[in-house]
Amino acid sequence: FDQSDPSSKNFYESNHMVIHYPTVNQKEVFMPELNFADYYQVEVNDDRFSLPDVEMKDQNSNSLAMVVEYYFKGMYQLQYTRVSDFRLDQVGSYRIRYIVTNLMGKTMMKEIVVDIIDQTKPVIEGYIEEYNSITNVTNYQPVASHSTINQAIKIVLNDNDGIMYAEYYKALYEVVDGNTTLEKESMMNVIDINLEKDFYLYEDGEYHIRAYDNSGNYQEYTIIIDRTSPIVSVTYEQVNLNQVLVTIITDEEVVPIQDFIANSENQMFTKLYDYNVMETVVINDLAGNQVEISISVDTVAEVLVDQNGNLLDPTNYLQLHLHDGPIFFRVNNSYLYEVFYQIDGGGYSLYTPGYNLDRDGFYEFQVRKDGFTNAYSFYISNQAVED
């Protein structure tokens, strides 16, 4: 009998005997529902992605048979080719056919497209050696692009779909109309990087490294190597006899110098000294190169001292007393200056260092040098101090 005919399905009567035949299911056999999207786009090597799952039974739990066919077209290929499986490690496009057959022999097909793309730029990393003298271990420290360093650097190239090509060039600068301008890049100066070997840069200069992956994504890394210490000059300007302006000028941008005022380019630094000093100033450029310079400043420091050299340090017109011993007027580095004085307006005389101010009266001192004059005045009295 014809099992597809409901009128004769499942039984046949003969001689009052009922004969039962095996059946697929007493219920109707349905086609499966393939409820998933027709198109997917996924980043190469993104293992979070998986193809849609197909339930291998229909709505009435009847078993289904399924065949999946894979067709792949590479990024630079024109036609799809039958392949054995689906892979995420190559850029291109898949056409995937799900062919499902039920137990009644009915077949349906659904085709989806999965485009595997690469939108991720290559990664260029720079590493410098850093030696630990305590542990005797050398580590590699990462260096960000556009950094300035004073040692060799190792360049490492990586990409999620492979590096196709890499190159580098050394920037050349020229001065045009007083401005430093980047010279046009010359193709003769662009050098291919051998991807099979370690790549290092050693010499001073500004380097631009470029990497391209198989999808045409592009990345650039810039590093400046500077092993040369800055050239430094120091000038002194006498503001007055008590103040000297010290100016430090460098031939390149350096790290700001403590207690000095920097200009916008960090190449000129000034400090106003109002005291005598001899000190060492340490200057570091941006690459870490270091140079030391000596600063020597002589300013006038007029003081009154007693016979033991103790400072009396009066303000103007303070009344002093001689009963405790002689008083002297002292100027630091007195050989650099001319010192004059007068008593009670009697006219200026040259003061001899060490001369005892043993006369009562109103003293006026002048310290002169290079057109500058410092005036200093006070009273001296030999009157006894009352308790």
mmCIF file of all heavy atoms in Angstrom, residues 148-186:
data_model
loop_
_atom_site.group_PDB
_atom_site.id
_atom_site.type_symbol
_atom_site.label_atom_id
_atom_site.label_comp_id
_atom_site.label_asym_id
_atom_site.label_seq_id
_atom_site.Cartn_x
_atom_site.Cartn_y
_atom_site.Cartn_z
ATOM 1 N N THR A 148 62.365 59.747 22.980
ATOM 2 C CA THR A 148 63.767 60.050 22.718
ATOM 3 C C THR A 148 64.617 59.224 23.663
ATOM 4 O O THR A 148 64.396 59.243 24.876
ATOM 5 C CB THR A 148 64.058 61.548 22.924
ATOM 6 O OG1 THR A 148 63.217 62.316 22.052
ATOM 7 C CG2 THR A 148 65.513 61.870 22.618
ATOM 8 N N ILE A 149 65.579 58.498 23.134
ATOM 9 C CA ILE A 149 66.409 57.602 23.931
ATOM 10 C C ILE A 149 67.878 57.850 23.599
ATOM 11 O O ILE A 149 68.200 58.523 22.623
ATOM 12 C CB ILE A 149 66.051 56.119 23.677
ATOM 13 C CG1 ILE A 149 66.239 55.786 22.185
ATOM 14 C CG2 ILE A 149 64.633 55.818 24.110
ATOM 15 C CD1 ILE A 149 66.045 54.327 21.851
ATOM 16 N N ASN A 150 68.767 57.292 24.418
ATOM 17 C CA ASN A 150 70.207 57.481 24.186
ATOM 18 C C ASN A 150 70.942 56.152 24.070
ATOM 19 O O ASN A 150 72.082 56.024 24.484
ATOM 20 C CB ASN A 150 70.820 58.329 25.298
ATOM 21 C CG ASN A 150 70.719 57.666 26.652
ATOM 22 O OD1 ASN A 150 70.057 56.647 26.815
ATOM 23 N ND2 ASN A 150 71.380 58.247 27.650
ATOM 24 N N GLN A 151 70.264 55.154 23.497
ATOM 25 C CA GLN A 151 70.885 53.854 23.308
ATOM 26 C C GLN A 151 70.220 53.133 22.149
ATOM 27 O O GLN A 151 69.245 53.620 21.577
ATOM 28 C CB GLN A 151 70.770 53.021 24.585
ATOM 29 C CG GLN A 151 69.334 52.689 24.989
ATOM 30 C CD GLN A 151 69.255 51.967 26.316
ATOM 31 O OE1 GLN A 151 69.077 52.578 27.360
ATOM 32 N NE2 GLN A 151 69.412 50.655 26.273
ATOM 33 N N ALA A 152 70.766 51.969 21.800
ATOM 34 C CA ALA A 152 70.209 51.185 20.701
ATOM 35 C C ALA A 152 68.819 50.675 21.071
ATOM 36 O O ALA A 152 68.494 50.509 22.247
ATOM 37 C CB ALA A 152 71.125 50.012 20.374
ATOM 38 N N ILE A 153 68.004 50.421 20.055
ATOM 39 C CA ILE A 153 66.638 49.962 20.278
ATOM 40 C C ILE A 153 66.338 48.794 19.340
ATOM 41 O O ILE A 153 66.766 48.769 18.190
ATOM 42 C CB ILE A 153 65.629 51.107 20.065
ATOM 43 C CG1 ILE A 153 64.215 50.647 20.429
ATOM 44 C CG2 ILE A 153 65.683 51.650 18.647
ATOM 45 C CD1 ILE A 153 63.212 51.791 20.479
ATOM 46 N N LYS A 154 65.611 47.807 19.863
ATOM 47 C CA LYS A 154 65.160 46.671 19.066
ATOM 48 C C LYS A 154 63.715 46.918 18.650
ATOM 49 O O LYS A 154 62.865 47.254 19.464
ATOM 50 C CB LYS A 154 65.249 45.374 19.874
ATOM 51 C CG LYS A 154 64.783 44.129 19.114
ATOM 52 C CD LYS A 154 64.898 42.891 19.976
ATOM 53 C CE LYS A 154 64.471 41.636 19.203
ATOM 54 N NZ LYS A 154 64.583 40.416 20.043
ATOM 55 N N ILE A 155 63.433 46.744 17.350
ATOM 56 C CA ILE A 155 62.094 46.957 16.815
ATOM 57 C C ILE A 155 61.444 45.601 16.553
ATOM 58 O O ILE A 155 62.023 44.732 15.893
ATOM 59 C CB ILE A 155 62.138 47.785 15.516
ATOM 60 C CG1 ILE A 155 62.832 49.128 15.760
ATOM 61 C CG2 ILE A 155 60.731 47.982 14.976
ATOM 62 C CD1 ILE A 155 62.135 50.022 16.764
ATOM 63 N N VAL A 156 60.231 45.420 17.081
ATOM 64 C CA VAL A 156 59.486 44.165 16.921
ATOM 65 C C VAL A 156 58.173 44.473 16.203
ATOM 66 O O VAL A 156 57.444 45.393 16.581
ATOM 67 C CB VAL A 156 59.203 43.514 18.287
ATOM 68 C CG1 VAL A 156 58.395 42.234 18.109
ATOM 69 C CG2 VAL A 156 60.511 43.225 19.018
ATOM 70 N N LEU A 157 57.864 43.684 15.159
ATOM 71 C CA LEU A 157 56.665 43.868 14.350
ATOM 72 C C LEU A 157 55.718 42.698 14.546
ATOM 73 O O LEU A 157 56.143 41.530 14.490
ATOM 74 C CB LEU A 157 57.028 43.996 12.870
ATOM 75 C CG LEU A 157 58.128 45.013 12.515
ATOM 76 C CD1 LEU A 157 58.466 44.910 11.038
ATOM 77 C CD2 LEU A 157 57.689 46.423 12.863
ATOM 78 N N ASN A 158 54.428 42.999 14.751
ATOM 79 C CA ASN A 158 53.427 41.944 14.922
ATOM 80 C C ASN A 158 52.130 42.348 14.234
ATOM 81 O O ASN A 158 51.830 43.541 14.078
ATOM 82 C CB ASN A 158 53.138 41.689 16.406
ATOM 83 C CG ASN A 158 54.286 41.001 17.116
ATOM 84 O OD1 ASN A 158 54.606 39.852 16.819
ATOM 85 N ND2 ASN A 158 54.908 41.702 18.054
ATOM 86 N N ASP A 159 51.352 41.327 13.843
ATOM 87 C CA ASP A 159 50.035 41.589 13.257
ATOM 88 C C ASP A 159 49.190 40.338 13.397
ATOM 89 O O ASP A 159 49.705 39.207 13.395
ATOM 90 C CB ASP A 159 50.161 41.975 11.776
ATOM 91 C CG ASP A 159 48.831 42.405 11.195
ATOM 92 O OD1 ASP A 159 48.371 43.512 11.527
ATOM 93 O OD2 ASP A 159 48.230 41.612 10.449
ATOM 94 N N ASN A 160 47.859 40.524 13.511
ATOM 95 C CA ASN A 160 46.969 39.373 13.655
ATOM 96 C C ASN A 160 46.811 38.576 12.371
ATOM 97 O O ASN A 160 46.305 37.460 12.383
ATOM 98 C CB ASN A 160 45.601 39.829 14.153
ATOM 99 C CG ASN A 160 44.941 40.826 13.206
ATOM 100 O OD1 ASN A 160 45.573 41.326 12.280
ATOM 101 N ND2 ASN A 160 43.678 41.118 13.444
ATOM 102 N N ASP A 161 47.249 39.140 11.238
ATOM 103 C CA ASP A 161 47.157 38.413 9.973
ATOM 104 C C ASP A 161 48.492 38.412 9.236
ATOM 105 O O ASP A 161 48.536 38.163 8.030
ATOM 106 C CB ASP A 161 46.063 39.040 9.097
ATOM 107 C CG ASP A 161 45.755 38.186 7.865
ATOM 108 O OD1 ASP A 161 45.780 36.941 7.982
ATOM 109 O OD2 ASP A 161 45.511 38.758 6.787
ATOM 110 N N GLY A 162 49.562 38.724 9.949
ATOM 111 C CA GLY A 162 50.878 38.662 9.335
ATOM 112 C C GLY A 162 51.314 39.975 8.732
ATOM 113 O O GLY A 162 50.518 40.722 8.157
ATOM 114 N N ILE A 163 52.610 40.277 8.873
ATOM 115 C CA ILE A 163 53.199 41.468 8.270
ATOM 116 C C ILE A 163 53.564 41.163 6.819
ATOM 117 O O ILE A 163 54.264 40.188 6.540
ATOM 118 C CB ILE A 163 54.446 41.921 9.048
ATOM 119 C CG1 ILE A 163 54.079 42.281 10.491
ATOM 120 C CG2 ILE A 163 55.104 43.107 8.349
ATOM 121 C CD1 ILE A 163 53.197 43.494 10.626
ATOM 122 N N MET A 164 53.079 41.978 5.900
ATOM 123 C CA MET A 164 53.398 41.771 4.491
ATOM 124 C C MET A 164 54.703 42.475 4.118
ATOM 125 O O MET A 164 55.510 41.936 3.358
ATOM 126 C CB MET A 164 52.260 42.288 3.617
ATOM 127 C CG MET A 164 52.502 42.135 2.118
ATOM 128 S SD MET A 164 51.131 42.760 1.118
ATOM 129 C CE MET A 164 51.267 44.529 1.444
ATOM 130 N N TYR A 165 54.897 43.688 4.684
ATOM 131 C CA TYR A 165 56.028 44.495 4.254
ATOM 132 C C TYR A 165 56.344 45.515 5.333
ATOM 133 O O TYR A 165 55.458 46.010 6.030
ATOM 134 C CB TYR A 165 55.694 45.199 2.940
ATOM 135 C CG TYR A 165 56.735 46.184 2.459
ATOM 136 C CD1 TYR A 165 57.953 45.741 1.951
ATOM 137 C CD2 TYR A 165 56.506 47.554 2.526
ATOM 138 C CE1 TYR A 165 58.908 46.643 1.513
ATOM 139 C CE2 TYR A 165 57.453 48.461 2.082
ATOM 140 C CZ TYR A 165 58.663 47.998 1.585
ATOM 141 O OH TYR A 165 59.605 48.890 1.159
ATOM 142 N N ALA A 166 57.632 45.833 5.511
ATOM 143 C CA ALA A 166 58.047 46.851 6.482
ATOM 144 C C ALA A 166 59.239 47.619 5.930
ATOM 145 O O ALA A 166 60.047 47.080 5.162
ATOM 146 C CB ALA A 166 58.391 46.212 7.818
ATOM 147 N N GLU A 167 59.354 48.881 6.349
ATOM 148 C CA GLU A 167 60.419 49.751 5.869
ATOM 149 C C GLU A 167 60.716 50.801 6.924
ATOM 150 O O GLU A 167 59.958 50.981 7.875
ATOM 151 C CB GLU A 167 59.997 50.427 4.561
ATOM 152 C CG GLU A 167 58.793 51.351 4.740
ATOM 153 C CD GLU A 167 58.239 51.902 3.442
ATOM 154 O OE1 GLU A 167 58.670 51.427 2.371
ATOM 155 O OE2 GLU A 167 57.371 52.798 3.503
ATOM 156 N N TYR A 168 61.836 51.511 6.740
ATOM 157 C CA TYR A 168 62.135 52.625 7.626
ATOM 158 C C TYR A 168 62.964 53.659 6.873
ATOM 159 O O TYR A 168 63.558 53.375 5.831
ATOM 160 C CB TYR A 168 62.887 52.151 8.872
ATOM 161 C CG TYR A 168 64.348 51.857 8.680
ATOM 162 C CD1 TYR A 168 65.333 52.791 9.021
ATOM 163 C CD2 TYR A 168 64.773 50.632 8.152
ATOM 164 C CE1 TYR A 168 66.679 52.514 8.836
ATOM 165 C CE2 TYR A 168 66.108 50.343 7.977
ATOM 166 C CZ TYR A 168 67.065 51.295 8.324
ATOM 167 O OH TYR A 168 68.405 51.028 8.140
ATOM 168 N N TYR A 169 62.969 54.874 7.426
ATOM 169 C CA TYR A 169 63.841 55.906 6.875
ATOM 170 C C TYR A 169 64.274 56.832 8.008
ATOM 171 O O TYR A 169 63.627 56.921 9.048
ATOM 172 C CB TYR A 169 63.161 56.694 5.752
ATOM 173 C CG TYR A 169 62.052 57.615 6.186
ATOM 174 C CD1 TYR A 169 62.298 58.954 6.486
ATOM 175 C CD2 TYR A 169 60.737 57.157 6.281
ATOM 176 C CE1 TYR A 169 61.278 59.807 6.871
ATOM 177 C CE2 TYR A 169 59.718 57.994 6.663
ATOM 178 C CZ TYR A 169 59.983 59.319 6.970
ATOM 179 O OH TYR A 169 58.979 60.154 7.354
ATOM 180 N N LYS A 170 65.370 57.501 7.795
ATOM 181 C CA LYS A 170 65.923 58.453 8.746
ATOM 182 C C LYS A 170 65.582 59.860 8.277
ATOM 183 O O LYS A 170 65.911 60.250 7.166
ATOM 184 C CB LYS A 170 67.439 58.275 8.860
ATOM 185 C CG LYS A 170 68.109 59.160 9.888
ATOM 186 C CD LYS A 170 69.602 58.837 9.958
ATOM 187 C CE LYS A 170 70.317 59.682 10.994
ATOM 188 N NZ LYS A 170 71.767 59.357 11.070
ATOM 189 N N ALA A 171 64.889 60.609 9.130
ATOM 190 C CA ALA A 171 64.448 61.952 8.752
ATOM 191 C C ALA A 171 65.642 62.883 8.608
ATOM 192 O O ALA A 171 66.591 62.835 9.397
ATOM 193 C CB ALA A 171 63.475 62.499 9.792
ATOM 194 N N LEU A 172 65.584 63.715 7.593
ATOM 195 C CA LEU A 172 66.614 64.719 7.354
ATOM 196 C C LEU A 172 65.977 66.092 7.457
ATOM 197 O O LEU A 172 64.901 66.329 6.904
ATOM 198 C CB LEU A 172 67.238 64.537 5.966
ATOM 199 C CG LEU A 172 67.918 63.189 5.703
ATOM 200 C CD1 LEU A 172 68.405 63.128 4.264
ATOM 201 C CD2 LEU A 172 69.080 62.990 6.659
ATOM 202 N N TYR A 173 66.630 66.988 8.185
ATOM 203 C CA TYR A 173 66.090 68.320 8.392
ATOM 204 C C TYR A 173 66.979 69.363 7.732
ATOM 205 O O TYR A 173 68.194 69.196 7.627
ATOM 206 C CB TYR A 173 65.983 68.634 9.888
ATOM 207 C CG TYR A 173 64.898 67.851 10.580
ATOM 208 C CD1 TYR A 173 65.156 66.586 11.100
ATOM 209 C CD2 TYR A 173 63.622 68.368 10.713
ATOM 210 C CE1 TYR A 173 64.148 65.865 11.732
ATOM 211 C CE2 TYR A 173 62.622 67.665 11.340
ATOM 212 C CZ TYR A 173 62.891 66.414 11.847
ATOM 213 O OH TYR A 173 61.903 65.700 12.488
ATOM 214 N N GLU A 174 66.372 70.429 7.296
ATOM 215 C CA GLU A 174 67.122 71.552 6.767
ATOM 216 C C GLU A 174 66.470 72.843 7.244
ATOM 217 O O GLU A 174 65.276 72.894 7.530
ATOM 218 C CB GLU A 174 67.158 71.514 5.246
ATOM 219 C CG GLU A 174 65.782 71.578 4.590
ATOM 220 C CD GLU A 174 65.869 71.528 3.082
ATOM 221 O OE1 GLU A 174 66.993 71.570 2.565
ATOM 222 O OE2 GLU A 174 64.816 71.454 2.422
ATOM 223 N N VAL A 175 67.265 73.896 7.332
ATOM 224 C CA VAL A 175 66.765 75.181 7.799
ATOM 225 C C VAL A 175 66.325 76.009 6.591
ATOM 226 O O VAL A 175 67.108 76.258 5.672
ATOM 227 C CB VAL A 175 67.833 75.933 8.609
ATOM 228 C CG1 VAL A 175 67.316 77.305 9.028
ATOM 229 C CG2 VAL A 175 68.221 75.109 9.842
ATOM 230 N N VAL A 176 65.071 76.416 6.595
ATOM 231 C CA VAL A 176 64.508 77.213 5.507
ATOM 232 C C VAL A 176 63.929 78.484 6.112
ATOM 233 O O VAL A 176 63.032 78.420 6.951
ATOM 234 C CB VAL A 176 63.417 76.439 4.750
ATOM 235 C CG1 VAL A 176 62.825 77.301 3.640
ATOM 236 C CG2 VAL A 176 63.981 75.147 4.190
ATOM 237 N N ASP A 177 64.455 79.636 5.709
ATOM 238 C CA ASP A 177 63.971 80.933 6.198
ATOM 239 C C ASP A 177 63.995 81.006 7.718
ATOM 240 O O ASP A 177 63.080 81.532 8.347
ATOM 241 C CB ASP A 177 62.546 81.208 5.686
ATOM 242 C CG ASP A 177 62.492 81.325 4.170
ATOM 243 O OD1 ASP A 177 63.512 81.741 3.586
ATOM 244 O OD2 ASP A 177 61.458 80.989 3.582
ATOM 245 N N GLY A 178 65.027 80.427 8.289
ATOM 246 C CA GLY A 178 65.171 80.503 9.739
ATOM 247 C C GLY A 178 64.380 79.477 10.504
ATOM 248 O O GLY A 178 64.481 79.397 11.728
ATOM 249 N N ASN A 179 63.577 78.661 9.804
ATOM 250 C CA ASN A 179 62.782 77.625 10.466
ATOM 251 C C ASN A 179 63.310 76.250 10.102
ATOM 252 O O ASN A 179 63.690 75.996 8.968
ATOM 253 C CB ASN A 179 61.307 77.730 10.055
ATOM 254 C CG ASN A 179 60.695 79.044 10.470
ATOM 255 O OD1 ASN A 179 60.891 79.486 11.597
ATOM 256 N ND2 ASN A 179 59.962 79.675 9.558
ATOM 257 N N THR A 180 63.314 75.360 11.072
ATOM 258 C CA THR A 180 63.739 73.983 10.822
ATOM 259 C C THR A 180 62.587 73.229 10.167
ATOM 260 O O THR A 180 61.505 73.136 10.735
ATOM 261 C CB THR A 180 64.163 73.299 12.115
ATOM 262 O OG1 THR A 180 65.218 74.044 12.703
ATOM 263 C CG2 THR A 180 64.642 71.882 11.839
ATOM 264 N N THR A 181 62.813 72.682 8.985
ATOM 265 C CA THR A 181 61.754 72.053 8.213
ATOM 266 C C THR A 181 62.165 70.631 7.865
ATOM 267 O O THR A 181 63.313 70.379 7.514
ATOM 268 C CB THR A 181 61.482 72.840 6.912
ATOM 269 O OG1 THR A 181 61.232 74.198 7.243
ATOM 270 C CG2 THR A 181 60.278 72.270 6.174
ATOM 271 N N LEU A 182 61.210 69.704 7.946
ATOM 272 C CA LEU A 182 61.490 68.325 7.563
ATOM 273 C C LEU A 182 61.693 68.241 6.061
ATOM 274 O O LEU A 182 60.836 68.649 5.282
ATOM 275 C CB LEU A 182 60.332 67.418 7.988
ATOM 276 C CG LEU A 182 60.477 65.937 7.654
ATOM 277 C CD1 LEU A 182 61.653 65.345 8.420
ATOM 278 C CD2 LEU A 182 59.203 65.192 7.999
ATOM 279 N N GLU A 183 62.841 67.703 5.691
ATOM 280 C CA GLU A 183 63.138 67.569 4.267
ATOM 281 C C GLU A 183 62.226 66.530 3.647
ATOM 282 O O GLU A 183 61.836 65.549 4.280
ATOM 283 C CB GLU A 183 64.598 67.157 4.089
ATOM 284 C CG GLU A 183 65.067 67.174 2.656
ATOM 285 C CD GLU A 183 66.524 66.746 2.547
ATOM 286 O OE1 GLU A 183 66.818 65.590 2.863
ATOM 287 O OE2 GLU A 183 67.354 67.578 2.181
ATOM 288 N N LYS A 184 61.882 66.720 2.375
ATOM 289 C CA LYS A 184 61.013 65.761 1.711
ATOM 290 C C LYS A 184 61.649 64.386 1.704
ATOM 291 O O LYS A 184 62.823 64.230 1.439
ATOM 292 C CB LYS A 184 60.734 66.207 0.280
ATOM 293 C CG LYS A 184 59.436 66.982 0.128
ATOM 294 C CD LYS A 184 59.082 67.102 -1.341
ATOM 295 C CE LYS A 184 57.663 67.644 -1.475
ATOM 296 N NZ LYS A 184 57.273 67.741 -2.887
ATOM 297 N N GLU A 185 60.812 63.400 1.975
ATOM 298 C CA GLU A 185 61.315 62.027 2.025
ATOM 299 C C GLU A 185 61.756 61.580 0.635
ATOM 300 O O GLU A 185 61.037 61.736 -0.342
ATOM 301 C CB GLU A 185 60.203 61.123 2.545
ATOM 302 C CG GLU A 185 60.585 59.672 2.657
ATOM 303 C CD GLU A 185 59.383 58.839 3.077
ATOM 304 O OE1 GLU A 185 58.497 59.371 3.743
ATOM 305 O OE2 GLU A 185 59.356 57.668 2.705
ATOM 306 N N SER A 186 62.930 61.036 0.570
ATOM 307 C CA SER A 186 63.459 60.550 -0.707
ATOM 308 C C SER A 186 63.343 59.036 -0.752
ATOM 309 O O SER A 186 63.659 58.342 0.207
ATOM 310 C CB SER A 186 64.926 60.967 -0.860
ATOM 311 O OG SER A 186 65.515 60.282 -1.942
#
